[in-house]
């Protein structure tokens, strides 16, 4: 029978209800296993909790409270306090209690683009249309006078050229997020995958729309004109397997860590071909991504000095909303300055770490994928677990329309719909 513990002391005022009692129970179990008291913030490994004891702890948790966690969660939440918060988040509350919707916005990166992206929403949502035009106007000076709105509506294949891909995705992400906010869905935290961090930073208040438009445009343009010859390989390898494979190739690195057995390698094509052959022999799934460059890798380094020179001239500040960095895989503290955006160009995307931290620390009820089509949704669901936050996309493709949007807003208890939908 599942029980929620009561009656322990010492939790922080904003602690998840029940977390203090879970923490007290965990500390008592750890004392039994180790023969000495353990601090609530002492990492289990430092305390001497080996794999056998960790498995025993998992068994005790399941026996006492039911199937709230998986064995691997003890590694993901490696202190009594962190694991207690996670247990409290998973534990069922009193019957009939209404949980306030707490959405987190997760912005999709490069790879989600396609001709006519979000065109249905542009035609049927006044809110989306207005914000996309706002972003398009901010981008026009850097795109040779071309409007991203016209690129989208015209089904222009130029959306697959990096110099346009990144501004288009930024504009769509910005407009989708502002549309949701305008309808009453206010995010408790934001996270972006790769170039998705730019729209996330604007929503978090760290970048203005004009400054973000300038940065994302020069970023895409500088990358577009790098020599071709790089590529990216999506794999079913674990993080360890991906790192081992990259270590055998001088010009191949890990480009993204999206979830367990969902990694991306980036680098020179010849090296990626050899890695692919290795994975084929090991029966590890893989596919080459449709890209012309090795994004999120040191092959992007020639872009960094020119990009940094532009970024240093802009007033870059700290986010006002919790901003979970996929450069660091954690909550970002301080300003998102030129150094951050420069490092982001070559650093691997630590999406899995960022989402896990966001879910554990912000306790969202919903993870909303902000992008032109679902790309991150399967990873988000795996990272959140069966009892984690609900995961939904705001846009499922170019045909997403007012009716689809109404369903998303309903799930987020946002509205009234009339404020965002066309008459």
């Amino acid at each position: 029978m599942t029980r929620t513990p009561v009656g322990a002391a010492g939790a922080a005022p904003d602690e998840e209800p029940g977390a203090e009692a879970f923490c007290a129970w965990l500390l008592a179990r750890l004392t039994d296993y180790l023969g000495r008291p353990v601090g609530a913030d002492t990492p289990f490994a430092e305390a001497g909790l080996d794999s056998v004891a960790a498995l025993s702890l998992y068994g005790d948790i399941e026996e006492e409270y039911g199937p709230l966690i998986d064995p691997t969660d003890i590694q993901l939440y490696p202190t009594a306090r962190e694991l207690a918060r996670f247990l409290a988040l998973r534990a069922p509350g009193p019957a009939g209690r209404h949980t306030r919707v707490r959405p987190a916005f997760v912005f999709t990166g490069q790879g989600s683009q396609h001709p006519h992206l979000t065109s249905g929403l542009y035609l049927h949502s006044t809110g989306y249309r207005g914000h996309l035009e706002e972003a398009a106007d901010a981008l026009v000076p850097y795109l040779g006078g071309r409007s991203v709105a016209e690129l989208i509506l015209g089904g222009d294949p130029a959306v697959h050229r990096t110099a346009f891909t990144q501004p288009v995705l930024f504009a769509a992400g910005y407009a989708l997020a502002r549309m949701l906010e305008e309808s009453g869905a206010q995010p408790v935290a934001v996270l972006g995958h790769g170039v998705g961090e730019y729209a996330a930073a604007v929503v978090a208040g760290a970048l203005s729309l004009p400054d973000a438009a300038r940065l994302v445009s020069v970023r895409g343009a500088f990358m577009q004109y790098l020599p071709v010859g790089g590529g990216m390989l999506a794999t079913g390898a674990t993080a360890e397997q991906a790192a081992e494979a990259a270590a055998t190739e001088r010009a191949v690195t890990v480009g993204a860590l999206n979830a367990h057995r969902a990694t991306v390698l980036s680098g020179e094509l010849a090296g990626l071909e050899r890695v692919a052959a290795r994975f084929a022999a090991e029966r590890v799934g893989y596919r080459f991504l449709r890209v012309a460059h090795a994004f999120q890798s040191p092959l992007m380094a020639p872009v960094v000095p020119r990009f940094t020179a532009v970024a240093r001239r802009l007033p870059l500040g700290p986010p006002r909303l919790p901003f979970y960095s996929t450069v660091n895989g954690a909550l970002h503290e301080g300003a998102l300055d030129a150094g951050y955006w420069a490092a982001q160009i070559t650093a691997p995307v630590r999406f899995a770490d960022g989402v896990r931290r966001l879910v554990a620390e912000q306790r969202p009820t919903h993870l909303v994928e902000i992008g032109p089509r679902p790309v991150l949704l399967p990873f988000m669901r795996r990272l959140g677990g069966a009892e984690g936050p609900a995961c939904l996309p705001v846009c499922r493709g170019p045909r997403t329309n007012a009716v689809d949007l109404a369903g998303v807003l309903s799930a987020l208890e946002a509205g009234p719909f009339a404020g965002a939908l066309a008459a």
Side-chain angles (χ1 to χ4, degrees):
M1 177 179 177
T2 301
R3 294 180 285 166
T4 301
V6 295
D14 61 348
E15 191 68 274
E16 180 74 26
E20 57 179 306
F22 275 118
C23 190
W25 184 88
L26 287 169
L27 292 174
R29 298 287 79 73
L30 290 168
T31 298
D32 290 343
Y33 294 143
L34 303 173
R36 65 182 186 282
V38 176
D41 297 309
T42 302
F44 295 146
E46 290 183 14
L49 192 76
D50 60 22
S51 59
V52 175
L55 192 58
S56 296
L57 177 61
Y58 165 73
D60 286 350
I61 292 170
E62 184 165 278
E63 181 179 357
E64 186 74 8
Y65 302 117
L68 298 184
I69 66 170
D70 294 323
T72 54
D73 289 326
I74 294 175
Q75 299 174 353
L76 298 177
Y77 305 97
T79 70
R81 193 182 308 280
E82 289 179 271
L83 186 57
R85 288 173 181 159
F86 187 64
L87 286 165
L89 179 68
R90 301 289 187 158
R97 183 179 72 183
H98 177 73
T99 301
R100 180 172 60 90
V101 171
R102 291 171 48 82
F105 290 178
V106 180
F107 292 80
T108 315
Q110 202 155 336
S112 61
Q113 74 276 3
H114 54 273
H116 296 290
L117 62 90
T118 72
S119 57
L121 282 175
Y122 184 92
L123 296 173
H124 296 287
S125 166
T126 57
Y128 179 72
R129 182 162 61 248
H131 290 300
L132 186 71
E133 294 286 2
E134 180 189 12
D137 289 344
L139 289 161
V140 159
Y142 311 107
L143 300 180
R146 301 189 71 177
S147 165
V148 296
E150 292 174 2
L151 284 173
I152 289 170
L153 291 177
D156 196 324
V159 298
H160 291 300
R161 293 178 54 201
T162 303
F164 291 109
T165 301
Q166 297 187 13
V168 165
L169 290 177
F170 164 74
Y174 169 82
L176 290 168
R178 290 302 194 212
M179 175 188 67
L180 291 181
E181 290 181 313
E182 192 174 73
S183 300
Q186 300 297 322
V188 298
V190 296
L191 177 149
H193 191 291
V195 74
E197 286 203 301
Y198 284 87
V202 175
V203 170
L207 281 175
S208 69
L209 175 59
D211 289 343
R214 184 176 183 181
L215 281 180
V216 79
S217 297
V218 299
R219 184 185 195 268
F222 291 164
M223 291 182 178
Q224 174 73 47
Y225 295 105
L226 284 176
V228 296
M232 301 184 79
L233 185 73
T235 82
T238 65
E240 293 77 13
Q241 287 175 315
E244 288 174 6
T248 66
E249 294 290 339
R250 181 184 58 82
V252 172
T253 59
V254 177
L257 300 165
N258 291 325
H260 183 60
R261 294 193 179 279
T263 54
V264 178
L265 293 169
S266 186
E268 291 181 354
L269 282 174
L272 290 175
E273 292 281 4
R274 288 189 290 271
V275 170
R278 168 179 173 159
F279 283 156
E282 296 174 355
R283 297 186 178 180
V284 174
Y286 66 87
R287 66 182 176 89
F288 282 90
L289 301 182
R290 182 182 175 183
V291 295
H293 300 286
F295 300 110
Q296 311 301 146
S297 85
L299 293 184
M300 295 289 103
V303 166
V304 172
R306 297 168 66 198
F307 176 87
T308 303
V310 174
R312 282 177 175 163
R313 294 197 293 268
L314 301 178
L316 308 177
R320 294 192 293 271
L321 273 178
F323 180 96
Y324 280 79
S325 163
T326 50
V327 175
N328 305 319
L331 179 67
H332 184 80
E333 304 285 353
L336 292 169
D337 57 16
Y340 179 87
W341 295 113
Q344 195 237 22
I345 290 172
T346 57
V349 177
R350 296 177 58 186
F351 181 75
D353 289 340
V355 171
R356 288 187 185 113
R357 290 278 188 173
L358 188 157
V359 169
E361 296 170 5
Q362 301 300 325
R363 306 185 294 276
T365 58
H366 295 73
L367 294 178
V368 185
E369 182 169 359
I370 309 291
R373 65 183 175 90
V375 172
L376 304 175
L377 206 63
F379 306 140
M380 288 156 51
R381 286 175 173 152
R382 287 163 61 185
L383 294 165
E387 302 299 325
C391 300
L392 70 159
V394 68
C395 182
R396 292 190 175 275
R399 295 184 180 180
T400 292
N401 56 28
V403 174
D404 302 316
L405 176 59
V408 174
L409 295 177
S410 177
L412 298 176
E413 298 183 3
F417 301 148
L421 304 183

